[in-house]
Amino acid sequence: FQPLMPDLHYYYIVELSFYWSLMFSQFIDVKRKDFGIMFTHHIVTVTLITFSYVTNLTRVGTLILCLHDAADIVLEAAKMANYCKCQKLSDLLFLTFAVVFIVSRLGIYPLWILNTTLFELYEALGNFPALWVFNVLLIVLQILHCFWSYLIVKAAYKAISKGKVAKDARSDVESSSDEEETVTRSKASHSAITTNGTSGANGTNGYLTGATCSEEH
């Protein structure tokens, strides 16, 4: 029952466009092991953004988007550090991302967001069909958060114990990885291969690499 502010309207439009682009770009990008999970996440996210906009539940929708963006910003920074061959900075940013991800999606999201939508919203507005659809999608999102948190904790443990993030199990290339790596290595003049963060163990998902920070870069 609250008016939609213009800034929230544009925020919704930008976020919806972003997740639509992610969903379609999956089909032209290198296929990874978590293709199905990521595609499910994008479908749920697009549906939630559209659904919350139509039903005017934009306040809770905006909070969820902000929680996701907070962790994604640190992750993208870690990827850029990897592209610059700064391994220590990349590892530090990845560990920061792990903390932000777990706190926001396993702490704030279930204890604050889900508690509001599952219980407080029902008490305030009563029962209506859209509420059930909304909550089911939010719970599916939380299940995905738990799965990714498990993988992130494993990668963070390797970063602490071995001094670097050696491999990202979530984003290993599922098909033609050996062929692509062979072709890439034959074209490269050195062994530190990044190729937009997708070739072999040195560039998995953009922030995992065995290279160290070097002045020549």
Side-chain angles (χ1 to χ4, degrees):
F1 304 110
Q2 298 178 350
L4 178 65
M5 304 301 293
D7 52 351
L8 291 184
H9 166 76
Y10 289 115
Y11 184 40
Y12 257 72
I13 295 300
V14 171
E15 290 283 355
L16 183 61
S17 303
F18 173 67
Y19 281 105
W20 270 114
S21 67
L22 287 181
M23 185 165 60
F24 285 117
S25 64
Q26 272 196 299
F27 295 96
I28 59 176
D29 196 3
V30 178
K31 189 176 182 181
R32 305 181 186 279
K33 288 183 177 180
D34 67 337
F35 175 86
I37 297 176
M38 288 300 300
F39 187 73
T40 301
H41 173 266
H42 298 333
I43 290 291
V44 171
T45 303
V46 168
T47 306
L48 279 171
I49 294 175
T50 305
F51 213 77
S52 62
Y53 185 88
V54 172
T55 57
N56 203 32
L57 295 174
T58 53
R59 294 184 68 187
V60 62
T62 303
L63 289 175
I64 295 173
L65 290 173
C66 287
L67 282 179
H68 282 71
D69 292 341
D72 291 342
I73 291 173
V74 185
L75 177 60
E76 298 305 322
K79 292 181 180 181
M80 289 189 290
N82 171 73
Y83 296 149
C84 296
K85 302 296 188 300
C86 295
Q87 180 64 35
K88 292 183 178 179
L89 178 59
S90 178
D91 289 344
L92 177 61
L93 289 172
F94 176 75
L95 293 176
T96 304
F97 157 75
V99 173
V100 175
F101 187 96
I102 293 174
V103 170
S104 61
R105 305 194 189 188
L106 295 187
I108 299 176
Y109 179 78
L111 298 179
W112 184 16
I113 304 297
L114 286 184
N115 179 65
T116 299
T117 59
L118 290 174
F119 304 106
E120 297 179 3
L121 190 60
Y122 177 80
E123 295 177 358
L125 300 179
N127 188 19
F128 56 98
L131 181 62
W132 289 94
V133 178
F134 195 65
N135 283 325
V136 167
L137 294 176
L138 291 178
I139 293 174
V140 171
L141 202 59
Q142 177 61 20
I143 294 174
L144 296 177
H145 291 166
C146 294
F147 172 76
W148 282 321
S149 296
Y150 167 73
L151 298 180
I152 290 172
V153 169
K154 287 180 60 177
Y157 174 77
K158 292 180 180 179
I160 296 175
S161 61
K162 298 182 179 180
K164 63 179 181 179
V165 183
K167 193 175 184 180
D168 182 4
R170 183 186 65 83
S171 296
D172 283 345
V173 178
E174 187 176 59
S175 60
S176 304
S177 59
D178 295 335
E179 297 177 2
E180 292 175 0
E181 184 176 357
T182 302
V183 173
T184 306
R185 288 182 180 275
S186 65
K187 293 181 181 180
S189 59
H190 52 81
S191 60
I193 304 173
T194 55
T195 323
N196 198 26
T198 57
S199 60
N202 289 332
T204 309
N205 202 28
Y207 60 85
L208 309 179
T209 178
T212 57
C213 188
S214 173
E215 292 181 359
E216 66 181 3
H217 294 285

